[in-house]
Every structure is written in C-alpha cells, then in structure tokens.
Amino acid sequence: MGFFDRDYRLLYCNDVMATLLGKPKEEAVGQLQKDLLRDAYNKSIGIKINADNFDDWFDEVERTQRSVEYNQFETDTNEGQYYNVTRMTLSNGMNVVVGPILPNKKPS
C-alpha cells in the first residue's frame, strides 16, 4: 500500500509497495512518483517497465492517473513477483495504491 499526495509525492508505503518501487521505504518516502519509477526503470529493479522510452511511458501513466479516478491492473517486477494493483484518487486529491501479491502466478 502507498499514499501519494496530489503532486504524486510518496507520503507513505509499506514493504510491498517498496518492493514495487525497488528501494527501501525509508528511501522512497518523500520522492516523486516519476523519480521513483525512473530509478526503477534505469536500474531494472522493482516494477517491470517494458518501454523503449521512459518519458513516453510515464506520460501515458500520468494521463491515465489524472483522467481516471479508479483503475486496476496487473504488474510484475524484475524479481519475478506479480501484483494485482488498484489505484484510487480520493476527493482530497491524494492517491491510494494497493497491490496484493498474486500467488503462483506464471508469466504469460
């Protein structure tokens, strides 16, 4: 689970969310989502980002987050774990992200 403010700065995350971000939660808190994901992309750790161009990929993510209050998707990590992620924008502009591990998930 993670909480982002309206500017997508990470306010809180648990260990599972830290795994998706590819760094300890103590390092992740306070950073912008874009910076966290760019670092994961550049280091090939945490969430697997299958894109040739990070900025184009992130622009699409950001468009979705700003236009859709609720979405669900599956994602996997470079370490081989799979997550079912739910993201919600609350009325105060904060974003909540939750993502349980999918047991025994096999790559498709």
Side-chain angles (χ1 to χ4, degrees):
M1 173 183 291
F3 293 100
F4 291 88
D5 67 14
R6 66 180 61 243
D7 296 320
Y8 292 95
R9 184 173 306 280
L10 185 64
L11 301 175
Y12 166 83
C13 74
N14 64 9
D15 291 329
V16 172
M17 184 70 169
T19 297
L20 281 171
L21 299 171
K23 60 178 54 192
K25 59 187 174 188
E26 297 80 15
E27 282 182 41
V29 170
Q31 292 189 40
L32 292 173
Q33 176 187 29
K34 184 173 188 174
D35 296 335
L36 291 164
L37 293 175
R38 183 187 302 279
D39 193 47
Y41 175 79
N42 288 336
K43 294 179 179 175
S44 296
I45 56 174
I47 188 171
K48 188 182 289 183
I49 300 171
N50 293 321
D52 294 329
N53 182 299
F54 174 84
D55 290 315
D56 290 344
W57 175 85
F58 187 80
D59 287 347
E60 182 62 31
V61 168
E62 192 171 49
R63 269 192 297 281
T64 300
Q65 289 177 336
R66 299 216 186 270
S67 66
V68 178
E69 291 180 358
Y70 175 90
N71 62 331
Q72 287 185 300
F73 53 94
E74 279 188 18
T75 192
D76 60 332
T77 66
N78 287 291
E79 296 75 31
Q81 291 187 308
Y82 290 79
Y83 295 85
N84 185 12
V85 178
T86 301
R87 187 204 56 82
M88 298 167 280
T89 302
L90 305 178
S91 60
N92 64 3
M94 290 189 55
N95 281 270
V96 179
V97 179
V98 294
I101 299 171
L102 298 173
N104 303 317
K105 172 81 178 175
K106 303 285 186 208
S108 29

